[in-house]
């Protein structure tokens, strides 16, 4: 993402509020899916707007998720709209899902607003790297995890403002399947359910899970252990801790 685009997104930050500030149930049904495990996920590196390809385990995770949510997807009301982040790892995940569901990949609409939070100068590093190499920034983030903007990146408040704007633009008469990233995943969950910041901070999402968000409530849709074993999934993947 360019600096100009980040600046435009940051302009919405003043409208951001507590995740619980919006009345839950305002949004249409959403089936929310995180991309599969990547090489950088495996190494614990922050990806943000940079990209790393899916691992073999990540591809197997996609197969398990596709099989698990297929029945739920088919119960969604009306014509389903499919959305995907423009980043490669999300597109690769959506491509696998599309093939499993026997729909055209071109059904997925790229939505720049659901690209992962920009971590700027921290991208490509582990949190341990940041704590060692950029201790001042690490401490500032720890002191203000929602308002602090990573150099060259965006704050969590700015991320939530961006996601809220995108959700507000969704057609309320359609259901939506969304393939996105950990940070956006949490923001969409929180905004759709009215979760508090404390609850949102506790969110962790393995890469083998999905959430069905509807009428202000949520339901986790996770593959059973037997299905994960059948697809040869070697682990549920790392979850972001920031």
């Amino acid at each position: 993402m360019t600096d100009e685009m980040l600046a435009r997104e940051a302009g919405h930050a003043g409208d951001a509020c507590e995740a619980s500030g919006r009345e839950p149930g305002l949004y249409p049904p959403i089936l929310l899916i995180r991309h599969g495990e990547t090489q950088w996920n495996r190494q614990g590196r922050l990806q943000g707007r940079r990209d790393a390809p899916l691992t073999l385990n990540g591809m197997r995770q996609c197969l398990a998720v596709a099989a698990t949510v297929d029945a739920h997807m088919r119960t969604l009301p009306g014509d389903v709209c499919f959305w995907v982040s423009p980043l490669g790892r999300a597109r690769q995940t959506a491509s696998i899902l599309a093939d499993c569901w026997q729909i055209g990949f071109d059904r997925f609409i790229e939505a720049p607003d659901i690209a992962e939070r920009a971590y700027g100068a921290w991208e490509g590093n582990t949190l341990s790297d940041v704590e060692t190499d950029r201790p001042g920034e690490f401490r500032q983030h720890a002191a203000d995890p929602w308002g602090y903007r990573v150099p060259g990146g965006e704050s969590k408040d700015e991320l939530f403002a961006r996601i809220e704007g995108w959700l507000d633009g969704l057609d309320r008469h359609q259901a939506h399947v969304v393939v996105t990233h950990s940070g956006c995943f949490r923001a969409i969950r929180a905004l759709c359910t009215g979760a508090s910041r404390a609850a949102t901070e506790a969110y962790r999402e393995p890469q083998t899970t999905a959430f069905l968000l509807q009428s202000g409530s949520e339901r986790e849709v996770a593959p059973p252990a037997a299905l994960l074993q059948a697809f040869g999934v070697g682990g549920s993947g790392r979850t972001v801790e920031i």
Side-chain angles (χ1 to χ4, degrees), residues 122-208:
W122 294 11
E123 292 180 0
N125 295 286
T126 66
L127 287 177
S128 294
D129 291 335
V130 176
E131 185 175 14
T132 300
D133 299 334
R134 311 176 78 98
E137 295 170 9
F138 187 86
R139 287 193 297 270
Q140 290 180 72
H141 186 276
D144 184 11
W146 287 74
Y148 179 71
R149 182 191 297 171
V150 177
E154 60 186 333
S155 70
K156 194 175 294 187
D157 278 333
E158 291 168 345
L159 168 67
F160 268 66
R162 166 160 61 87
I163 294 298
E164 185 174 33
W166 182 75
L167 286 170
D168 285 343
L170 291 181
D171 188 336
R172 300 297 194 270
H173 300 97
Q174 286 184 287
H176 303 266
V177 173
V178 180
V179 180
T180 186
H181 310 265
S182 182
C184 299
F185 196 110
R186 294 176 187 175
I188 293 171
R189 280 184 66 189
L191 289 164
C192 285
T193 63
S196 67
R197 284 189 173 183
T200 305
E201 289 286 5
Y203 284 166
R204 294 294 181 267
E205 51 290 313
Q207 285 159 308
T208 52

Side-chain angles (χ1 to χ4, degrees), residues 8-148:
R8 185 168 64 250
E9 289 175 356
H12 297 294
D15 298 329
C17 58
E18 281 272 353
S20 59
R22 292 294 297 270
E23 184 71 23
L26 294 177
Y27 299 115
I30 294 174
L31 183 60
L32 187 59
I33 299 171
R34 184 183 172 199
H35 66 78
E37 178 190 76
T38 70
Q39 297 291 343
W40 275 14
N41 286 150
R42 179 180 286 172
Q43 298 166 15
R45 299 183 183 278
L46 293 170
Q47 295 182 109
R49 301 306 173 84
R50 295 175 66 180
D51 234 334
L54 298 188
T55 62
L56 176 58
N57 188 54
M59 296 178 192
R60 290 170 173 166
Q61 290 170 343
C62 294
L63 296 174
V65 170
T68 302
V69 306
D70 181 69
H72 297 275
M73 188 181 69
R74 296 181 190 281
T75 65
L76 295 174
D79 293 329
V80 176
C81 190
F82 296 85
W83 301 93
V84 63
S85 157
L87 296 175
R89 57 194 184 272
R91 286 173 49 82
Q92 191 177 2
T93 297
S95 175
I96 295 170
L97 296 175
D99 285 351
C100 290
W101 294 335
Q102 297 184 324
I103 64 173
F105 176 64
D106 58 4
R107 290 279 302 276
F108 280 91
I109 303 168
E110 283 192 14
D113 282 340
I114 60 172
E116 182 60 297
R117 175 183 173 187
Y119 290 111
W122 294 11
E123 292 180 0
N125 295 286
T126 66
L127 287 177
S128 294
D129 291 335
V130 176
E131 185 175 14
T132 300
D133 299 334
R134 311 176 78 98
E137 295 170 9
F138 187 86
R139 287 193 297 270
Q140 290 180 72
H141 186 276
D144 184 11
W146 287 74
Y148 179 71

